[in-house]
Amino acid sequence: TVKELGPIDILVLNAGPNFKMAPFTEQSWEDFEIKVLKELKACYWTLQEVVPSMISRKTGSIIIISSSSSRRSTPGFSTHTTAKSALDGLAKALAIELGPHGIRVNVVAPGLTDTDATELLPSEVKHMIASHTPLRRNAVPEDIAGAVLFYASDFSKFISGNYTPVNGGNIML
């Protein structure tokens, strides 16, 4: 990437494995291990590759995609909630550590978003979630992209360590 496009100024960490939706008592340790370790591993290796250059250039914006589930879980989401909570903690630690180098680190936490990852969710569940959301709909990818673009831009040049739920008001902090 650096050879083709030049130094990386903006890094969006959005990798995340699927997870087994089931009650905690039906989850195995392996279910947790797979979700948490793969989620953190994807971020770790990418950050290790990109951050040194950001530090040397004293600039950068890192945006970690989490989930509103990290602040308010629902039944069957214990592995997802745990993994995304770990990412939130990583973002806080990085914001403190990398801030003196001019690097901002923020979290965008989507609520239910209509994507291929949620297409198998029953429509009655999607409608129920939308009905409990003040904006009365679920997110679309463009809603999440707007928050990411904000953190990638100079409009947020003095914001770091922030957690932004993008969920139509479903979770208010």
Side-chain angles (χ1 to χ4, degrees):
T1 302
V2 173
K3 287 179 186 175
E4 293 282 325
L5 302 172
I8 296 171
D9 298 314
I10 300 159
L11 177 62
V12 179
L13 297 165
N14 188 33
N18 289 329
F19 62 98
K20 177 178 155 185
M21 276 196 310
F24 175 78
T25 56
E26 295 175 19
Q27 299 279 359
S28 67
W29 171 247
E30 289 75 24
D31 295 328
F32 268 80
E33 189 173 47
I34 289 167
K35 178 64 174 167
V36 173
L37 290 180
K38 283 189 175 183
E39 196 89 51
L40 287 171
K41 193 175 190 179
C43 290
Y44 175 85
W45 290 113
T46 307
L47 288 161
Q48 285 289 343
E49 191 65 33
V50 173
V51 167
S53 172
M54 288 181 168
I55 289 173
S56 71
R57 293 178 296 107
K58 298 229 174 263
T59 188
S61 177
I62 298 169
I63 303 136
I64 297 177
I65 307 300
S66 179
S67 169
S68 293
S69 294
S70 72
R71 300 291 168 99
R72 188 171 107 199
S73 190
T74 53
F77 277 66
S78 58
T79 58
H80 184 67
T81 296
T82 303
K84 294 302 186 176
S85 295
L87 292 182
D88 296 352
L90 176 63
K92 288 180 198 177
L94 291 175
I96 290 168
E97 189 173 323
L98 300 177
H101 300 285
I103 301 165
R104 298 174 287 123
V105 182
N106 292 289
V107 172
V108 171
L112 180 63
T113 306
D114 291 329
T115 67
D116 57 346
T118 62
E119 70 185 354
L120 297 178
L121 202 60
S123 60
E124 53 273 4
V125 171
K126 291 179 185 180
H127 292 301
M128 185 272 301
I129 292 170
S131 72
H132 289 96
T133 301
L135 292 180
R136 297 293 189 262
R137 66 177 181 86
N138 296 315
V140 294
E142 292 81 7
D143 297 321
I144 312 314
V148 171
L149 285 171
F150 171 72
Y151 283 124
S153 76
D154 283 342
F155 289 119
S156 64
K157 66 183 174 185
F158 198 63
I159 301 173
S160 191
N162 210 22
Y163 174 96
T164 303
V166 183
N167 57 35
N170 201 354
I171 296 174
M172 298 181 197
L173 302 178

